[in-house]
Amino acid sequence: MGRRLVHVRLQLDQRTLDRAIRNSGASRILLDLYHVVIGVLSDDEIGFGPAELRSDSIDSPFNQEARDVALVHAAIARQVAAHGQPAPAPCVLLSGGETTVTVRGTGRGGRNAEFLLALTIALDGNARVHAIACDTDGVDGTEDNAGAIAGPDTLPRASALGLRAKDFLANNDGYTFFSELGDLVVTGPTLTNVNDFRAILVR
């Protein structure tokens, strides 16, 4: 029998959200996520056994600083990995919408590279988390990439090349960081634009 698509809406109350982002350092304005909705890909979809595909999206406003949004996503991913909340692993956390970047440095990088670099630093090599962040039009800001990918080995590989992730983030240089690792996602222009998206797999 084919897989069925089931829509599940997970509404986090303030207590759950506070627990998820405690000690994350995220801007307090991001606590105003009263309806955080997480898209969950079931076990069956990612090879862990039979189940249905459950999906939805984060419908809270993520037009905040990319690095702050990354801290919230990282905190939720850690909460899933450690406690199975607000969804049990394995699952995929999905969100859409365009973040912002306050340029402080002279590096290269669009919103998605900035988000993913900050996420990578916040996760600190968590062995259970992989992520991708891309712009659906194939252009992250003004660069030639759509976005990038990251996983548990990102920071160790960067360290082996003498790349300090925090220095690249401070210089708004996510593009160069992921380019050096060969982890840019380059699709070319897709000729469509349905916003940025972020997908975080917690295994």
Side-chain angles (χ1 to χ4, degrees):
M1 189 169 80
R3 298 184 180 121
R4 293 188 300 128
L5 181 63
V6 180
H7 295 284
V8 175
R9 181 167 297 274
L10 302 176
Q11 296 187 356
L12 302 188
D13 59 30
Q14 196 64 45
R15 180 180 177 184
T16 302
L17 184 60
D18 282 339
R19 183 170 61 249
I21 70 172
R22 187 177 298 125
N23 300 321
S24 72
S27 169
R28 292 297 297 180
I29 194 171
L30 293 175
L31 284 174
D32 192 29
L33 306 179
Y34 295 114
H35 301 289
V36 175
V37 183
I38 296 181
V40 182
L41 289 178
S42 74
D43 296 358
D44 187 43
E45 285 297 305
I46 50 179
F48 288 91
E52 293 177 330
L53 171 64
R54 297 165 291 168
S55 89
D56 213 313
S57 62
I58 294 178
D59 65 355
S60 296
F62 277 132
N63 58 345
Q64 307 294 333
E65 283 286 328
R67 59 184 64 189
D68 286 346
V69 175
L71 292 176
V72 172
H73 282 68
I76 296 173
R78 287 195 302 268
Q79 187 76 3
V80 171
H83 304 293
Q85 298 173 336
C91 71
V92 172
L93 313 180
L94 299 174
S95 70
E98 296 184 352
T99 61
T100 61
V101 174
T102 298
V103 178
R104 302 175 178 87
T106 60
R108 301 175 62 187
R111 299 179 300 267
N112 292 292
E114 178 107 350
F115 166 87
L116 199 62
L117 182 51
L119 181 80
T120 298
I121 293 169
L123 289 172
D124 194 27
N126 190 303
R128 298 179 62 185
V129 183
H130 300 256
I132 182 172
C134 287
D135 195 321
T136 55
D137 67 4
V139 180
D140 187 19
T142 60
E143 302 299 342
D144 60 1
N145 65 310
I149 58 174
D153 65 341
T154 299
L155 290 180
R157 288 191 293 120
S159 179
L161 294 174
L163 307 176
R164 289 174 49 87
K166 290 182 179 180
D167 290 346
F168 281 85
L169 182 61
N171 195 35
N172 302 115
D173 202 9
Y175 179 97
T176 301
F177 179 83
F178 289 110
S179 178
E180 290 291 321
L181 295 174
D183 288 344
L184 292 177
V185 174
V186 180
T187 62
T190 64
L191 304 181
T192 187
N193 189 2
V194 289
N195 243 322
D196 294 356
F197 80 93
R198 296 161 288 274
I200 303 171
L201 169 65
V202 185
R203 302 189 67 163

